[in-house]
Amino acid sequence: MKDEANLRHEEEAVIAMLMMRAKAIGEKNAEEALSYEAEDSVEFSLAPPLVSNGRDAVGLQAWFDSWEGPIGGEVRDARLTLGGDVAFWSGLMRMTGTKTDGAEVDLWFRQTLGLVKRDGRWLVAHQHASVPFAMDGSGRALLDLKPQTAGSVE
């Protein structure tokens, strides 16, 4: 029973951290958002470069500054697996909002997070975001896909 209670407590701690991180991102608060990342984090994001290492407050703030108002979001099909001081989270993410040039964003993408528990705190140590691409040889990113129901995508 104690192990189950501890597991539930750790799951709740991870989910709470992810919710606070999502709120900071939505509010475009770079300092707060990065406080939930490990200093030696690795990120494979939708934007170049292929890989980013460590916290990049200047880059994150520059991206935040390219948005007019808050950045909206939604999560579907989230899964969390815990094992000791490491955890793995994955899900479908929706990003919505308006860019400073007036472009409307409504994009679904896939995200995977690797988390570590350090000094009693859960932190994001690895992030990977991606979108599918057309398998017809064009290499075209498929930015118009949307989840239909749990587990299926149109």
Side-chain angles (χ1 to χ4, degrees):
M1 271 316 232
K2 187 176 182 180
D3 288 341
E4 287 180 34
N6 187 50
L7 180 61
R8 176 88 48 215
H9 171 76
E10 294 299 339
E11 286 175 351
E12 290 171 0
V14 169
I15 292 167
M17 181 275 290
L18 292 175
M19 296 293 287
M20 291 183 294
R21 180 176 175 265
K23 182 177 184 286
I25 291 169
E27 294 173 348
K28 302 187 298 189
N29 184 334
E31 184 177 329
E32 178 74 12
L34 291 175
S35 74
Y36 302 106
E37 291 187 18
E39 288 185 31
D40 59 348
S41 65
V42 175
E43 180 176 4
F44 301 107
S45 74
L46 296 174
L50 286 173
V51 63
S52 298
N53 294 289
R55 298 176 184 168
D56 179 9
V58 172
L60 183 58
Q61 190 59 57
W63 182 71
F64 285 162
D65 291 345
S66 72
W67 292 82
E68 199 64 49
I71 302 168
E74 180 181 344
V75 177
R76 293 235 187 121
D77 301 334
R79 294 178 185 213
L80 175 63
T81 303
L82 283 166
D85 289 344
V86 297
F88 177 92
W89 181 95
S90 64
L92 298 176
M93 302 288 296
R94 183 180 188 191
M95 181 172 35
T96 59
T98 305
K99 301 294 277 185
T100 55
D101 65 3
E104 294 291 324
V105 175
D106 188 351
L107 169 70
W108 282 95
F109 61 97
R110 306 171 292 201
Q111 186 165 48
T112 303
L113 302 174
L115 304 117
V116 293
K117 189 173 183 184
R118 293 186 180 156
D119 298 324
R121 288 186 66 217
W122 283 101
L123 300 168
V124 175
H126 177 92
Q127 319 180 49
H128 187 120
S130 65
V131 294
F133 69 93
M135 300 300 288
D136 60 4
S138 70
R140 179 177 53 92
L142 300 175
L143 303 178
D144 58 349
L145 297 179
K146 294 173 181 44
Q148 290 180 328
T149 60
S152 65
V153 177
E154 60 178 54

